[in-house]
Amino acid sequence: MKQYLDLSNRIVNEGIWIENKRTGKRCLTVINADLTYDVAKNKFPLITTRKSFWKSAIAEMLGYIRGYDNAADFRKIGTKTWDANANENEAWLANPYRKGSDDCGLIYGKVARNFPRPDGGSIDLLAQIVDDLSNGIDNRGEIFTFYHPGAFHMACLRPCMYSHHFSLLGDTLYLNSTQRSCDVPLGLNFNMVQVYVLLALMAQITGNKPGQAYHKIVNAHIYEDQLELMRDVQLKRDPLPAPQLKINPNIKSLNDLETWVTLDDFEVTGYQHHEPIKYPFSV
């Protein structure tokens, strides 16, 4: 929570105004931020200075793990985060690769679970990583990446948090996640939860202990229509004690995550929070 507030204050006090072509809005921007989440000690990084809809964040990560490419599938597991990008993005609506209502194209897990090989065929990056880590193998390149520049024109949105690099030291699993762009009032709230949960889940299904998750953000920004709410409302509130996350211990494999796991398999306890803040979302 402190890391989130420190970054928000840094943007407000030190940020530079940058025009964003995609949204047509200005962003108050800083470059490079590093956050760390202690998964080993179950210090769940959930925002308390406003209500956080953590279930939606976890549902979105489940969708990435499953390789979803359709907003309807994301809705079925508990999140509407892809509705706007799939159905309100003017450039995507005119894109010849769009297959119809709710189609997102080659996004996130759709790429990573079927990453194309130049010599033909594809690689399931996640299955390969799970197999390695389950057998105590770390080849220093256990990278679950959504980033494929050759597919950008076939998706409604480029990946923002695009790389998750797992490292195994003994029986302790670590994660380095990299994010090229971050809407701090809205997106970071989700991304913090997702980095934490991804490490917790991967450690659990590979039979390892979770360590720390390291989250690097390259471009961190606050949109001009979000600034007043962040500066004059959220940053005026005092943070509350951190909650804890419980994950169903019966989740034991990648197949479990792909098939029967739902939001009912996750529970947050001790969550105290201030009133919600409705930040504008930029498509």
Side-chain angles (χ1 to χ4, degrees):
M1 186 69 232
K2 183 180 184 299
Q3 296 176 89
Y4 176 88
L5 295 175
D6 287 347
L7 176 56
S8 299
N9 271 306
R10 179 184 160 205
I11 297 172
V12 169
N13 295 321
E14 303 174 19
I16 302 297
W17 284 109
I18 300 295
E19 297 285 344
N20 181 253
K21 182 179 179 180
R22 180 179 65 85
T23 61
K25 297 179 182 179
R26 293 191 309 156
C27 300
L28 199 56
T29 305
V30 299
I31 300 299
N32 193 55
D34 292 285
L35 296 82
T36 301
Y37 316 127
D38 194 342
V39 186
K41 296 182 179 178
N42 198 3
K43 293 185 176 180
F44 192 43
L46 194 59
I47 300 304
T48 62
T49 48
R50 70 176 176 91
K51 185 177 181 180
S52 173
F53 298 95
W54 58 271
K55 288 186 177 181
S56 185
I58 293 177
E60 188 176 59
M61 181 54 73
L62 284 176
Y64 296 163
I65 289 171
R66 293 173 179 178
Y68 285 170
D69 64 353
N70 192 284
D73 290 328
F74 282 100
R75 286 197 299 274
K76 287 176 185 176
I77 58 171
T79 183
K80 298 179 179 180
T81 50
W82 282 92
D83 287 7
N85 283 311
N87 300 307
E88 298 175 23
N89 182 330
E90 291 184 8
W92 179 239
L93 294 177
N95 192 308
Y97 288 102
R98 185 173 184 265
K99 294 177 288 188
S101 178
D102 283 329
D103 180 45
C104 299
L106 294 180
I107 60 164
Y108 288 75
K110 184 65 175 180
V111 170
R113 297 302 308 268
N114 194 36
F115 205 92
R117 295 169 54 107
D119 58 351
S122 63
I123 301 171
D124 184 339
L125 298 178
L126 186 58
Q128 180 175 290
I129 292 167
V130 169
D131 185 61
D132 281 352
L133 298 178
S134 297
N135 288 289
I137 298 170
D138 176 5
N139 65 18
R140 302 181 185 176
E142 308 292 355
I143 301 173
F144 184 42
T145 183
F146 309 136
Y147 206 77
H148 187 353
F152 289 166
H153 66 294
M154 300 174 69
C156 65
L157 183 71
R158 288 181 297 166
C160 294
M161 186 159 61
Y162 64 87
S163 178
H164 302 283
H165 187 167
F166 295 93
S167 299
L168 193 60
L169 297 180
D171 62 352
T172 301
L173 187 65
Y174 296 84
L175 173 61
N176 287 75
S177 296
T178 304
Q179 186 164 355
R180 66 169 180 85
S181 174
C182 184
D183 174 341
V184 170
L186 279 177
L188 183 53
N189 182 40
F190 265 46
N191 302 139
M192 293 166 68
V193 168
Q194 291 172 336
V195 171
Y196 182 102
V197 168
L198 183 58
L199 176 56
L201 284 173
M202 287 290 284
Q204 183 165 312
I205 68 172
T206 62
N208 293 292
K209 296 185 298 187
Q212 281 69 48
Y214 304 101
H215 183 184
K216 175 174 283 294
I217 301 166
V218 177
N219 183 302
H221 50 266
I222 298 173
Y223 282 98
E224 57 187 330
D225 54 5
Q226 300 171 330
L227 179 59
E228 185 176 349
L229 285 170
M230 174 59 79
R231 181 191 60 213
D232 300 338
V233 180
Q234 190 166 358
L235 287 177
K236 301 293 185 184
R237 296 173 173 177
D238 293 325
L240 299 168
Q244 290 195 321
L245 175 70
K246 294 181 179 179
I247 299 176
N248 184 347
N250 292 321
I251 301 173
K252 296 179 180 178
S253 69
L254 180 56
N255 183 68
D256 291 343
L257 292 173
E258 294 169 329
T259 54
W260 58 264
V261 172
T262 71
L263 293 181
D264 291 337
D265 294 296
F266 302 87
E267 180 186 1
V268 169
T269 59
Y271 184 35
Q272 303 176 54
H273 57 79
H274 291 267
E275 291 297 310
I277 298 175
K278 191 169 184 178
Y279 282 108
F281 175 66
S282 297
V283 179

